[in-house]
Amino acid sequence: MTEQEAEYAGDLFGVDPTPGIVAVERAGDRGIRIYHRTHDGVREQLVEFTPWLVVDAETVPNLPRQMSTTLLDGDGRLRVRCDAPNWAAWLDVYRWLREAGRPFATFTSAADQYLVDSGRGLFRGISFDTVVRAQIDIETLGLDPTVEGARILLVTAAINGESAIVFRGDELSEPDMIRALTAWLQSNDPDVIEGHNIFNFDLPYLIERARRYHLELEWGRDGSPVRVGGEQRFKAGARSIPYNAARIYGRHLVDTYQQIQRYDTAGQLSSYALKPAIRALGLARHDRTYVAGVDITAAWDHDRERLIHYAIDDVLDVNVLSELALPTEFYQTRILPRGLQSVATGGPGEKINDLMLRAYLSRGYSIPTPGPPRGYPGGYTELRRTGRFSPVVKCDIESLYPSIMLVDDIRPASDELGMFVPMLGVLTKRRLQAKRREQQSTGHDRAQWRGIQTSFKVLINSFYGYLGYSRGYFNDYDAAERVTLRGQDLIQNIVVQLESNGSRAIEVDTDGVFFEPPADVRTLASEEALVARVSETLPTGINLAHDGRFLGMLSLRLKNYALLGYDGTVTLKGSGLRSRREERFLGQFLHDEVARHLAPDQFGDPRQAYLDLAERIIDGRLGVDDVSRIETITDQTFISPATRRLAEAVHGERIGERVAVYERADGSLARASAFDDDANSSYLLRRLRDFAERFRPLYATDQEFHYTFPIVTQRTDLATLRAARPTSQLTLFDLTN
DNA sequence: TACTGTGGCCGTGGGA
DNA sequence: TCCCACGGCCAC
């Protein structure tokens, strides 16, 4: 590392590498308590702390409380740092600033303020498996802790997936179970407490049951009870999902129900419930015990040992999900001035804000205010050809936007100190190092380097988006636009070169191109050579890579295509071909039709399969799992007219839940659980035909398409339709019109 | 002050 | 019947 890189690394990671800090909390009005994990347990340290805010010069004379002020360097609008005499004064000023609508910068958490000030961070020098994580799970009578007969049957817990323990409702009274859990937690002294849906179920249930015995969940490192916050939101990709926040002094709460949603960026999982998620990820233990939610009461009465095994399996599965999804957040926490719980629930824009604020304030520099939002162009997309292609190569520009920012030195205009691009550069370099270490190592080391590597990747990928983030202190829409327009130039130039080399470009999207290579390019090596020749023409620091080769491709619409791998696997891409919302029978239909069109000799006749499925609909032979679709409950569900029928079907459901519904013969929607063999066949036939429309680009003429996928209604004579000949005119098959 | 970005396809339902 | 706005989900 050069001297300059070391300097920027200090800005990026904070200047104080003190290892082993596992928690930081406010202590009284002017103090901070730091918990260090050492070889013989956790040690406490108390330090003095002055809460602060940064405001603009005009605001200072009007502040409602006396503060000591410092003028910061530079031209940022927020150039006066105010140090508060105590936390109460800070809170007064903070509330006043919000109320008055004045611009300011601070952190609502004293711990985060301390971490920014000190340059320290959590978990430095320790790895994920060093941290003590407790998994907990409860089995209860019913889901509502307030109703008659509600009670906790079992509490199970484990430490890092081991030493599982059970507190049984037939051996302990309910309050004693709660006391036993608290004692177990205090003696194991975990840094992290984990559960699946712990925020919205286990904690509220436990708190309510405890309240009935005048107990509190005294789980804090200082013995304080779990504090319930208001409704907060966790960020998972583009979605922001509300939950009942809670905090524990000196520890971090992690909900694997949330973490697995953040982990599932590709949207592969159809359910985020514990058992389906574990199964879909291929992580189920073969000897795992299952008890359905509705059977828990019966199992408690008649098969208690089995229920206990099931409950233990549940906490072990919580650990499995945590080991999968949490390391990325854990290793980000080393870098960022905030705690694990906040890293694991917060959005990426705020994390880059953290980095920039810490870098500027540690140098005594002023902070700019966000520029007003405006739209700007994004990636270049073009559907150049539709139809069936073979063979197909995909190439893409590696890390397009980060590379452009590094190569062209594109940074916010307000970044006077020039920190943005060097921080991105250090992260990029460190990520490559970590990737190499990951490849060179095995076991726990490998898992650690993977965690580090992916945590860097998450931050790297956030830098571009930050430029267009409306609440980013250093946002810059002009800079964001320069990045995307440069990307458009680069990819369009690559298409020109590919075509001039005899390739036929099929689809272009932002940083990648699918193309048919020329006839003399048929091996991986020759494809790579072709891509490498194009790559050589690009600016230094911009690399084009071979990113996949396929036996076949169906190009249907922009961002909607299917791929046939050389190993025979079929992949569907795009909202029209794979969506969590589509009915299962339609998903199956799409998949099968794609296979039939990609390899017609292997998979049979599309027309016959279509008519078979239509017949099953007419005969009512599709089950509830086939005809129901998954709808996500959002803020809009109960507001928007476009989701009125859904709102009626799922009245009272929580935001963020996913509910299986189907359309009834009367046109209303109903929950799949209320299925009564009354699915709307006309609707299903129409849906089937709509889905067949996706394949229209594969047919040269309307006649051919209509012959393959004729319109079918409940009154259609399928026998006649099946017997019809392909040479006939379209109108002959439109028997119902 | 606990909201990374744009581009695009498709279904719904209201209104012309 | 067509057009349009909007919401959800997806590709990148």
Side-chain angles (χ1 to χ4, degrees), chain A residues 93-108:
Chain A
V93 172
Y94 168 78
R95 286 179 176 148
W96 179 85
L97 286 166
R98 270 176 54 176
E99 191 70 23
R102 302 299 308 169
F104 64 97
T106 188
F107 293 88
T108 51

Side-chain angles (χ1 to χ4, degrees), chain A residues 59-339:
Chain A
T59 300
V60 176
N62 303 315
L63 289 176
R65 296 284 290 254
Q66 193 69 33
M67 312 278 269
S68 81
T69 57
T70 315
L71 189 63
L72 301 170
D73 291 338
D75 296 330
R77 180 169 175 198
L78 306 176
R79 63 179 63 179
V80 182
R81 177 183 164 124
C82 305
D83 288 300
N86 54 51
W87 189 252
W90 179 92
L91 204 54
D92 280 347
V93 172
Y94 168 78
R95 286 179 176 148
W96 179 85
L97 286 166
R98 270 176 54 176
E99 191 70 23
R102 302 299 308 169
F104 64 97
T106 188
F107 293 88
T108 51
S109 149
D112 296 2
Q113 289 186 32
Y114 170 77
L115 291 174
V116 166
D117 260 10
S118 63
R120 291 182 162 189
L122 269 53
F123 308 137
R124 288 183 181 169
I126 59 177
S127 66
F128 181 68
D129 39 315
T130 317
V131 169
V132 179
R133 296 174 294 111
Q135 295 78 42
I136 63 172
D137 181 50
I138 59 174
E139 306 300 334
T140 63
L141 280 179
L143 300 175
D144 182 349
T146 63
V147 298
E148 178 79 26
R151 80 182 163 104
I152 301 163
L153 300 176
L154 291 171
V155 177
T156 47
I159 297 291
N160 294 13
E162 292 173 359
S163 318
I165 188 169
V166 185
F167 303 110
R168 305 170 53 138
D170 54 359
E171 294 175 352
L172 298 173
S173 69
E174 198 173 30
D176 279 347
M177 290 170 78
I178 293 166
R179 289 190 191 98
L181 174 60
T182 297
W184 179 87
L185 282 167
Q186 289 297 356
S187 80
N188 282 284
D189 196 18
D191 308 308
V192 184
I193 297 178
E194 306 172 337
H196 202 75
N197 209 15
I198 191 171
F199 284 124
N200 284 341
F201 178 68
D202 299 66
L203 281 177
Y205 201 102
L206 280 163
I207 288 169
E208 172 58 25
R209 296 310 298 171
R211 192 187 63 79
R212 290 170 183 244
Y213 311 107
H214 309 289
L215 290 173
E216 292 190 291
L217 305 183
E218 291 168 339
W219 295 359
R221 276 201 152 117
D222 62 349
S224 65
V226 176
R227 288 163 292 153
V228 182
E231 182 178 287
Q232 289 188 20
R233 284 171 173 259
F234 78 94
K235 301 284 300 166
R239 298 189 308 148
S240 169
I241 301 146
Y243 68 100
N244 300 320
R247 302 194 62 82
I248 300 174
Y249 192 90
R251 310 189 202 277
H252 312 277
L253 271 165
V254 167
D255 193 331
T256 49
Y257 175 70
Q258 297 179 348
Q259 295 313 307
I260 206 62
Q261 295 192 54
R262 284 166 76 107
Y263 177 83
D264 182 38
T265 48
Q268 299 295 333
L269 301 180
S270 56
S271 166
Y272 297 122
L274 184 60
K275 271 70 73 180
I278 287 276
R279 260 200 299 263
L281 291 162
L283 297 171
R285 285 177 301 283
H286 64 279
D287 57 350
R288 204 231 198 271
T289 307
Y290 292 99
V291 178
V294 293
D295 299 332
I296 283 175
T297 305
W300 175 252
D301 289 338
H302 305 113
D303 202 354
R304 199 161 291 176
E305 295 310 311
R306 189 162 142 261
L307 184 64
I308 287 168
H309 277 122
Y310 163 79
I312 289 173
D313 276 328
D314 266 11
V315 286
L316 299 186
D317 278 348
V318 168
N319 180 60
V320 168
L321 291 186
S322 173
E323 286 184 341
L324 186 70
L326 200 59
T328 305
E329 314 290 349
F330 175 86
Y331 290 109
Q332 276 181 62
T333 311
R334 283 178 165 189
I335 303 172
L336 297 168
R338 53 164 86 186

Side-chain angles (χ1 to χ4, degrees), chain A residues 359-519:
Chain A
Y360 269 66
L361 293 177
S362 71
R363 294 180 170 218
Y365 236 75
S366 54
I367 309 291
T369 48
R374 73 161 171 91
Y376 61 94
Y380 177 76
T381 59
E382 183 185 0
L383 182 63
R384 292 179 67 96
R385 293 180 169 88
T386 59
R388 175 170 182 269
F389 301 92
S390 175
V392 169
V393 175
K394 162 93 187 296
C395 63
D396 77 350
I397 306 176
E398 294 177 312
S399 302
L400 177 65
Y401 289 168
S403 300
I404 289 173
M405 288 190 284
L406 290 171
V407 168
D408 291 356
D409 191 28
I410 297 178
R411 60 173 189 226
S414 53
D415 179 18
E416 295 175 56
L417 289 172
M419 311 296 300
F420 191 75
V421 170
M423 286 204 295
L424 176 60
V426 169
L427 271 174
T428 303
K429 200 161 180 172
R430 294 284 185 95
R431 181 186 176 219
L432 289 176
Q433 289 168 353
K435 259 180 109 164
R436 277 198 292 276
R437 299 290 289 272
E438 182 195 352
Q439 282 152 11
Q440 290 161 0
S441 51
T442 55
H444 280 287
D445 277 359
R446 191 183 177 93
Q448 179 180 346
W449 287 113
R450 181 169 52 244
I452 293 172
Q453 185 263 111
T454 49
S455 68
F456 286 177
K457 179 179 163 187
V458 169
L459 292 175
I460 288 165
N461 289 338
S462 306
F463 272 67
Y464 154 71
Y466 181 76
L467 294 174
Y469 172 39
S470 61
R471 303 174 101 112
Y473 287 101
F474 292 84
N475 68 1
D476 184 340
Y477 294 90
D478 294 337
E481 180 167 334
R482 286 203 299 281
V483 174
T484 55
L485 292 184
R486 184 85 161 102
Q488 294 205 8
D489 265 2
L490 288 165
I491 200 71
Q492 287 178 82
N493 178 260
I494 285 164
V495 172
V496 169
Q497 295 204 48
L498 285 171
E499 296 266 351
S500 73
N501 286 342
S503 301
R504 300 202 302 163
I506 302 164
E507 170 162 320
V508 190
D509 191 349
T510 308
D511 60 352
V513 184
F514 285 97
F515 63 94
E516 259 186 354

